[in-house]
Amino acid sequence: MQRETIHILAIESSCDDTAAAVLANDRVLSNVVANQAVHREYGGVVPELASRAHQQNIVPVVSQALAKANIDKKQLSAIAFTSGPGLMGSLLVGASFAKSLALGLDIPLIEVNHMRAHILAHFISNGGHKPPTFPFLALTISGGHTQIVRVNGPLEMEVLGQTKDDAVGEAFDKSAKLLGLPYPGGPLVDQYAQKGDALRFPFPRPKMPGLDFSFSGLKTGILYFLQKQQRENPHFVAENLEDICASIQYTITGILMDKLKKAVKQTGISEVAIGGGVSANSGIRKALVQEGKKRGWTVHIPKLEYCTDNAAMIGITGYFKYREKLFSAVDVTAKARYTIR
Ligand code: KG4
Ligand code: ZN
């Protein structure tokens, strides 16, 4: 017997992107993201401005997602939304909108953990690409998080290691800021790095035990290095930007790959998936593919649009939860801190 088609409207508003998507089972019918340019001039996300922009964006973004999917609200089976982790003011906008809509349409409401969603993005139907098989390891790298997760099943995950201070994305963005690049600097570091010599400037690597990460020392190391160089040559950054970026990217990539190798060794699991905004980084992607080939790992890298924050990943997680009837009560709360467990 054919399974009925489940239509889920998904909403993501955990940080500075307002996003909505419509899925038919594991297929994406529409995936709309409104970026908030307002933060650029402040050099980082300003929480107050983010929640205000979500309030302005949410109705047009959801309407656009429904229109693009050619779906009427009455055809929806459930509403999924990000309940955390993230910025409280931002999460509340998505949560209240999702709750009212689910209540109005009298359909189930499904709360979704944003970090789980980054991992489950791999299960979005993608032109025949084979999704990971359980158990697998997921390296989730974004502006807010850096985690290695053992994924035993769609709803069964265990964090094996995580950052004790800055996230990888912050390491990229803060380094970029020291180089005078605008926010978010991660993609720019990547761009300049492609033309630079990665071995020119050796930066310090943290000595963190187990599978945990630390990136705050790297930022300080880069700061002292730049101060010293600029005392001798005030034009040091401008004259060496590509090599500096390549060296920073090489160091960060090395830190991530070392921990992944350790995680594979420790768990005996050699299927590895990456997710989160920083997995858009070309150096990290290349290194992962190379390590995979060298060590016989099966590697999964999502499409770019499913790496950065998006609502399709919330939708696929909602779909897994829908199948298990894991619905949320209308008094479900947004959670700024929300571990995967
Ligand atoms: O997952 P995401 O879109 O939002 C969060 O949940 O944080 O990740 C955003 C982060 C930012 O720090 C941004 O600089 C970084 O991902 N990023 C990159 C690249 N593209 C995005 N970092 C390095 N290289 C890139 N190509
Ligand atoms: Zn994210």
Side-chain angles (χ1 to χ4, degrees):
M1 201 184 75
Q2 223 177 357
R3 207 195 276 262
E4 69 169 313
T5 304
I6 308 301
H7 287 110
I8 293 185
L9 168 70
I11 293 164
E12 153 64 34
S13 71
S14 65
C15 190
D16 61 340
D17 294 312
T18 318
V22 178
L23 275 76
N25 296 345
D26 60 353
R27 251 178 343 106
V28 175
L29 301 183
S30 63
N31 187 30
V32 179
V33 183
N35 303 113
Q36 301 180 359
V38 63
H39 307 287
R40 247 170 244 151
E41 61 186 287
Y42 297 93
V45 177
V46 184
E48 301 297 315
L49 296 180
S51 61
R52 201 181 307 160
H54 283 306
Q55 284 168 14
Q56 286 164 352
N57 291 343
I58 195 141
V59 172
V61 164
V62 168
S63 310
Q64 213 181 325
L66 288 167
K68 278 194 174 173
N70 200 16
I71 288 283
D72 187 84
K73 283 198 287 284
K74 293 193 184 72
Q75 290 170 267
L76 294 172
S77 319
I79 313 281
F81 73 100
T82 307
S83 58
L87 300 171
M88 201 53 179
S90 292
L91 289 166
L92 282 171
V93 177
S96 349
F97 187 90
K99 280 186 202 182
S100 345
L101 195 54
L103 210 58
L105 295 170
D106 196 21
I107 54 175
L109 177 70
I110 304 172
E111 61 141 343
V112 168
N113 179 303
H114 180 91
M115 298 310 293
R116 277 178 186 256
H118 268 303
I119 295 171
L120 295 176
H122 288 275
F123 293 86
I124 291 170
S125 166
N126 181 10
H129 174 81
K130 225 172 121 264
T133 50
F134 303 107
F136 66 93
L137 295 175
L139 173 67
T140 318
I141 43 181
S142 75
H145 299 273
T146 304
Q147 292 185 327
I148 295 184
V149 180
R150 182 191 162 108
V151 189
N152 297 320
L155 303 169
E156 207 194 317
M157 305 185 188
E158 185 191 342
V159 178
L160 301 180
Q162 58 191 325
T163 185
K164 294 296 173 199
D165 41 58
D166 288 348
V168 194
E170 280 177 291
F172 270 108
D173 295 341
K174 288 180 179 176
S175 307
K177 198 169 178 180
L178 294 174
L179 298 171
L181 300 173
Y183 176 85
L188 292 168
V189 172
D190 188 359
Q191 210 174 303
Y192 287 113
Q194 291 178 28
K195 291 189 213 126
D197 174 1
L199 301 177
R200 173 112 183 266
F201 304 115
F203 291 118
R205 290 205 191 179
K207 291 183 184 60
M208 281 301 281
L211 296 174
D212 286 334
F213 298 90
S214 165
F215 287 99
S216 61
L218 173 65
K219 179 193 62 196
T220 316
I222 294 169
L223 173 68
Y224 290 156
F225 167 80
L226 292 177
Q227 283 174 341
K228 182 168 175 285
Q229 297 292 334
Q230 280 168 323
R231 272 196 295 270
E232 288 157 26
N233 172 11
H235 307 293
F236 177 77
V237 170
E239 287 170 11
N240 298 282
L241 189 58
E242 291 169 352
D243 291 347
I244 303 170
C245 287
S247 302
I248 292 171
Q249 186 162 300
Y250 177 79
T251 308
I252 293 176
T253 305
I255 295 169
L256 296 175
M257 292 305 131
D258 281 353
K259 291 289 177 177
L260 261 186
K261 281 183 245 172
K262 209 168 176 177
V264 169
K265 198 165 166 199
Q266 192 174 305
T267 58
I269 299 171
S270 58
E271 186 149 355
V272 178
I274 56 168
V278 184
S279 49
N281 183 272
S282 63
I284 295 171
R285 287 177 166 243
K286 211 181 291 168
L288 188 60
V289 170
Q290 275 169 1
E291 288 294 346
K293 273 200 188 124
K294 191 163 134 197
R295 295 167 197 280
W297 299 349
T298 306
V299 167
H300 299 272
I301 303 177
K303 274 168 87 173
L304 275 181
E305 62 187 303
Y306 302 139
C307 281
T308 47
D309 284 352
N310 65 87
M313 68 182 194
I314 306 302
I316 189 77
T317 310
Y319 175 58
F320 279 120
K321 292 186 86 170
Y322 188 98
R323 292 198 320 198
E324 302 299 322
K325 302 258 174 296
L326 290 170
F327 303 139
S328 310
V330 80
D331 62 352
V332 60
T333 50
K335 305 168 248 302
R337 291 174 180 275
Y338 188 9
T339 54
I340 280 183
R341 275 188 307 277

